Amino acid sequence: MNDPKLFDPYAGNILVQPLGPILDRAQATQCLSFMPPRPRDPGKVPKHLRMHYVIQLRDIHVASLDGLRVQETIDLMLRDGYRYKDPSATHTWSVIGGEAMCHKTPRAPAMAAVIVGHSGTGKTQAILRALDLGPSQVIEHPCFPKLVGKHQQLVWLSVDVPSSGRADDLAANLMSSFDAAMEKHVAGWQNRFTASLAKNRRDGQKMLDEWRQVASAHFLGALHLDEVQNFFKLPTLKKRRTKSPDAAELQLSIIEDQCLKWILTLTNTWQIPIILSGTPDGVGALMKRFANTQRFVGGGYHVIPPFQSADDPLFFDSKNQGGFLNAIGLYQFVATPVKIDREFASLILELTGGIPRLIIAFWVAAHRVAFERDDDSLRAEDFRRAGDTYLAPVKPAVAALRSKDPKLISRYEDLMQRDDNLWASFWAAMR
């Protein structure tokens, strides 16, 4: 057997060593997947207690091929990003302090990656599970080059882009998340950004720069910005509904361009890898100008789609039982389970549009319907009944998604597909 230590491209890097070994696909699959516990004989458990087992299905995670690729991308971003941040080098600390912005040796910008998918497809879970594979989000070094005493290394941070899309609110989210991560992992941590967050009047750019300097000093390995669609303002629903098929595409508008300029600066100047994720409408707005698209997807571009077909083995695997629905099908808390076959798989796609979050929601709701009967069984009609009762509000959106009709889809802003023709003038202005 080959010793992994003999083939370590990051040997001697104190920032990489605590991240653990580089996983192969089989190891990553095992680490990423999670199956909640099941009672051995659910028929003997009172129905009112069974629901408390059913609800735990919300924690299930079946590692998909797309999810494994996301994990590989994030692992590459983290480790490669630390190649340029050797804390034993004086130049590293000069860059952190903003004293020296020229490099003696050529180096590529930090990697960035984009993950896109409709709400509920599992893109955020795929990212967070990949980020959380390491031993800890925060690593405390008992001794650290150029410093006296111990020092904390922040491996990753994940924040939502605020609904306002404004720089001051983004900075506030970053500051709060930074202190929360440190407080969780470091005993006696004194919140770093209390004073900045307490100000009545906030300067978004100054706050972003302050956060960046502190995050750099703690050797942030990767920043995940979720819900990137919040950077943009969509046309009103009225305008989207009244647009004729032959009319020019309705323009999205940027809420505050300094946020996006700052993101580019993080990768180009400050060497902080960035993972951007969101729904197709927002991601599409980022992806026009070729030069910037290259920067955003240099680490990878991953689409996390809904399941499309009952013949897709990743959804329903009739031979090896390795599909997502096969895994869910193991969690039937009844004496007489429903048969998991192609016909049933087609029904689930019809009801959910193939969105994993909705599939789980239907599974839970169908059990609630089934438990109302005197017999102890789960039936296909329980899922239809769940769609007419507990989950009735999602029916129009699922119908729009399955129809692929642009007019129907336009009623739901986060279902809108990316449009690569919108942002030429915007990106040109950011040169």
Side-chain angles (χ1 to χ4, degrees):
M1 295 293 290
N2 292 326
D3 184 353
K5 295 181 180 178
L6 297 177
F7 304 98
D8 184 359
Y10 310 100
N13 190 322
I14 69 166
L15 299 175
V16 177
Q17 289 172 349
L19 301 183
I22 299 173
L23 305 178
D24 61 27
R25 278 280 176 89
Q27 292 169 329
T29 299
Q30 184 176 7
C31 292
L32 290 172
S33 300
F34 177 75
M35 303 292 284
R38 295 178 292 152
R40 293 183 179 180
D41 191 351
K44 295 182 179 179
V45 179
K47 288 183 178 180
H48 71 286
L49 296 180
R50 290 187 217 173
M51 278 308 307
H52 293 267
Y53 285 100
V54 178
I55 202 68
Q56 294 180 36
L57 190 61
R58 296 171 67 247
D59 296 330
I60 194 172
H61 187 77
V62 181
S64 66
L65 180 58
D66 292 314
L68 291 168
R69 288 170 176 161
V70 168
Q71 184 273 327
E72 289 175 353
T73 290
I74 290 175
D75 193 54
L76 285 168
M77 293 174 69
L78 276 170
R79 295 173 193 269
D80 185 72
Y82 280 137
R83 282 198 305 124
Y84 296 133
K85 299 176 182 177
D86 183 357
S88 64
T90 301
H91 175 72
T92 299
W93 295 97
S94 298
V95 172
I96 289 172
E99 300 169 12
M101 300 310 300
C102 60
H103 303 298
K104 294 182 179 179
T105 56
R107 58 181 62 190
M111 295 171 69
V114 173
I115 293 89
V116 59
H118 293 305
S119 178
T121 54
K123 59 186 180 298
T124 302
Q125 276 297 306
I127 296 166
L128 293 179
R129 286 180 180 273
L131 288 170
D132 207 27
L133 276 187
S136 179
Q137 182 183 6
V138 177
I139 297 166
E140 190 161 56
H141 297 266
C143 58
F144 205 79
K146 311 293 183 181
L147 295 176
V148 176
K150 57 188 178 182
H151 190 60
Q152 298 80 27
Q153 171 189 348
L154 179 60
V155 179
W156 58 269
L157 194 67
S158 176
V159 301
D160 286 351
V161 174
S163 58
S164 70
R166 297 182 61 85
D168 56 341
D169 291 329
L170 174 62
N173 282 5
L174 290 164
M175 290 176 168
S176 298
S177 297
F178 178 94
D179 276 336
M182 288 296 192
E183 190 175 22
K184 179 180 178 181
H185 294 91
V186 181
W189 175 260
Q190 298 295 316
N191 287 352
R192 174 63 178 75
F193 298 107
T194 301
S196 296
L197 291 171
K199 292 180 180 178
N200 291 327
R201 300 185 66 178
R202 296 175 172 178
D203 184 321
Q205 188 61 55
K206 287 183 178 180
M207 292 174 69
L208 287 172
D209 290 341
E210 179 189 359
W211 174 87
R212 187 273 312 157
Q213 186 169 3
V214 174
S216 296
H218 286 276
F219 294 88
L220 175 62
L223 172 64
H224 171 218
L225 295 178
D226 201 8
E227 310 292 354
V228 298
Q229 63 272 11
N230 288 340
F231 283 132
F232 307 96
K233 183 178 180 180
L234 291 166
T236 64
L237 178 60
K238 181 179 180 180
K239 288 183 178 180
R240 299 201 303 272
R241 282 178 170 173
T242 57
K243 172 184 170 294
S244 67
D246 298 328
E249 289 291 341
L250 293 173
Q251 296 287 318
L252 285 76
S253 58
I254 182 69
I255 294 174
E256 210 171 71
D257 64 1
Q258 66 174 307
C259 291
L260 298 185
K261 292 178 181 178
W262 180 76
I263 289 172
L264 291 174
T265 303
L266 281 186
T267 57
N268 293 342
T269 302
W270 301 110
Q271 291 289 321
I272 296 178
I274 296 181
I275 306 153
L276 303 169
S277 61
T279 51
D281 54 317
V283 169
L286 293 170
M287 307 289 284
K288 172 53 191 176
R289 186 167 177 260
F290 183 49
N292 292 295
T293 300
Q294 290 181 73
R295 293 187 179 99
F296 285 141
V297 303
Y301 177 75
H302 301 279
V303 179
I304 311 294
F307 296 113
Q308 299 289 337
S309 169
D311 296 317
D312 179 0
L314 295 177
F315 174 58
F316 169 63
D317 186 350
S318 60
K319 295 181 179 180
N320 300 316
Q321 302 297 303
F324 181 82
L325 186 61
N326 303 100
I328 299 294
L330 297 174
Y331 292 84
Q332 299 195 47
F333 297 87
V334 292
T336 306
V338 67
K339 184 179 181 182
I340 309 298
D341 55 16
R342 190 184 184 285
E343 181 180 358
F344 180 74
S346 297
L347 170 64
I348 295 300
L349 288 179
E350 173 191 337
L351 294 173
T352 67
I355 295 177
R357 183 189 295 160
L358 278 182
I359 295 172
I360 294 172
F362 266 85
W363 206 264
V364 173
H367 273 81
R368 297 186 70 178
V369 171
F371 290 166
E372 294 285 345
R373 293 196 307 271
D374 290 335
D375 72 337
D376 198 356
S377 66
L378 187 64
R379 307 172 185 172
E381 52 263 35
D382 294 329
F383 291 82
R384 290 196 180 277
R385 180 71 182 277
D388 292 332
T389 53
Y390 291 108
L391 294 164
V394 304
K395 290 181 69 173
V398 169
L401 179 63
R402 286 180 55 80
S403 74
K404 303 186 186 301
D405 182 338
K407 187 173 183 180
L408 292 176
I409 289 175
S410 68
R411 298 177 181 177
Y412 304 92
E413 59 188 39
D414 55 351
L415 293 182
M416 293 170 65
Q417 298 299 313
R418 54 171 287 192
D419 182 352
D420 291 339
N421 298 316
L422 295 177
W423 289 93
S425 60
F426 173 73
W427 286 124
M430 290 182 63
R431 293 178 181 177

